[in-house]
Amino acid sequence: AAEPNVGDEKRTAILRLYMEGREEVSADIPITQLPVYSVRNARLIDIADAVKLEGIIEDNLKIQGYVISDMSTDNYVRKTDLFVQDESGVGVIVKLPKEEDNTYPVGTKLTFWITGGIVGKDEDGMLRISNLTVDNIYTETTLTGDGATPVLLTDISKASEHLYTLVTLKDVHFACPVGTICNVGTWKTGAAAYALSPVLDNAGNRMFIRTLTSFTQKYDKNIGGNSYDITGIVLPDEGELLHINGDMSNKKVMNGFDFDCSLRLRYSSD
């Protein structure tokens, strides 16, 4: 019988089965024996390395970061999504088991023991670390700041290189019509499940700010023609402009408005 693996790393062996009297008839079975993993002996990696993993995480790993999403704004579709970003300037979505588990305010420092978790894209095309429970989340970290530092972007065309990450669009202008954060006039829930506001950088590159109809102070933001610094989380986006009558399966795409990502504001002050 194999002895328990008391080390910090997994170990492997080959189990060979053969027919008695006919040793040439055999089969080799690879066996992996995991150690007694714990968050204490887990190796800390950057989120940038964690998002490169695929499938089930077998190694003893942990990540840490600052919460960058504010679920109280109702500006995120899935309340089980917790957005975190570390000091390497990369963010990721951690999928929690239940909505009521997502109680962490912006700036909270957290460690995630991701061993046994799964890295992959869901049906909405967004990359998440899933298969974790609240027991995988710890408030002990080595982080020393008060919150994640947004990645500064003066070139909007680079936004798709920073998915799931908090960024600040520097000196951007709202495209016409000017006057409201979402450019939808009197639209209400039922006409559209969300709205988009186009912004331009000084080179003329365009990006859309996406807000849900329940987003705080979405209407009548009284935006002028000046330049602004806007902070939010970059998310992948199919580019559809409207779900007809709020039906998520009945979407309309307007010609000339294709884009691969949009900015989701954390809260109205951004």
Side-chain angles (χ1 to χ4, degrees):
E3 296 294 328
N5 184 359
V6 296
D8 290 339
E9 300 294 332
K10 64 183 179 181
R11 60 189 185 186
T12 60
I14 300 295
L15 175 64
R16 172 163 291 179
L17 303 177
Y18 60 89
M19 181 182 297
E20 185 176 358
R22 295 187 60 187
E23 286 76 8
E24 73 276 9
V25 180
S26 63
D28 291 341
I29 303 175
I31 297 176
T32 299
Q33 187 184 31
L34 300 179
V36 180
Y37 283 160
S38 71
V39 68
R40 175 192 57 79
N41 60 8
R43 178 164 58 93
L44 177 64
I45 63 173
D46 289 339
I47 290 178
D49 293 322
V51 297
K52 296 176 183 177
L53 302 174
E54 294 182 0
I56 298 176
I57 302 171
E58 294 185 351
D59 294 321
N60 195 22
L61 303 174
K62 60 186 175 183
I63 59 174
Q64 62 183 11
Y66 304 93
V67 175
I68 59 175
S69 53
D70 182 8
M71 288 300 161
S72 68
T73 62
D74 289 331
N75 200 28
Y76 302 88
V77 175
R78 295 190 180 184
K79 295 298 183 67
T80 54
D81 284 346
L82 180 63
F83 294 77
V84 292
Q85 182 168 324
D86 64 12
E87 292 176 335
S88 70
V90 178
V92 69
I93 303 174
V94 176
K95 184 178 180 180
L96 301 178
K98 303 186 295 293
E99 290 185 9
E100 51 266 34
D101 295 330
N102 198 350
T103 59
Y104 304 100
V106 173
T108 304
K109 306 172 188 179
L110 296 173
T111 294
F112 300 87
W113 184 26
I114 60 175
T115 301
I118 299 174
V119 179
K121 291 184 178 180
D122 279 343
E123 67 277 2
D124 61 359
M126 293 193 189
L127 182 72
R128 293 175 173 86
I129 299 178
S130 60
N131 203 39
L132 303 181
T133 71
V134 292
D135 293 332
N136 292 82
I137 305 175
Y138 301 82
T139 55
E140 297 81 11
T141 75
T142 61
L143 300 171
T144 59
D146 295 326
T149 301
V151 175
L152 192 64
L153 283 182
T154 56
D155 183 353
I156 287 179
S157 68
K158 303 294 185 182
S160 60
E161 300 175 8
H162 303 279
L163 293 178
Y164 318 110
T165 299
L166 189 69
V167 304
T168 295
L169 306 182
K170 184 70 175 176
D171 294 328
V172 296
H173 300 262
F174 280 82
C176 291
V178 174
T180 170
I181 189 65
C182 56
N183 299 333
V184 297
T186 59
W187 285 8
K188 303 298 180 184
T189 304
Y194 51 77
L196 300 168
S197 298
V199 293
L200 304 172
D201 63 17
N202 290 324
N205 298 307
R206 181 180 59 192
M207 187 176 184
F208 287 93
I209 297 173
R210 182 181 287 275
T211 54
L212 302 182
T213 51
S214 57
F215 183 63
T216 306
Q217 298 179 12
K218 191 181 84 168
Y219 301 100
D220 303 322
K221 189 64 176 177
N222 297 320
I223 293 172
N226 300 324
S227 63
Y228 295 89
D229 296 342
I230 303 172
T231 300
I233 302 172
V234 179
L235 293 180
D237 204 309
E238 293 183 355
E240 76 277 5
L241 287 183
L242 180 64
H243 286 134
I244 306 301
N245 295 324
D247 181 356
M248 300 298 286
S249 64
N250 188 8
K251 63 185 180 183
K252 181 178 182 181
V253 179
M254 304 292 286
N255 292 332
F257 285 90
D258 296 331
F259 50 99
D260 58 4
C261 66
S262 61
L263 191 74
R264 189 65 56 85
L265 302 180
R266 292 176 302 173
Y267 28 68
S268 57
S269 59
D270 286 329

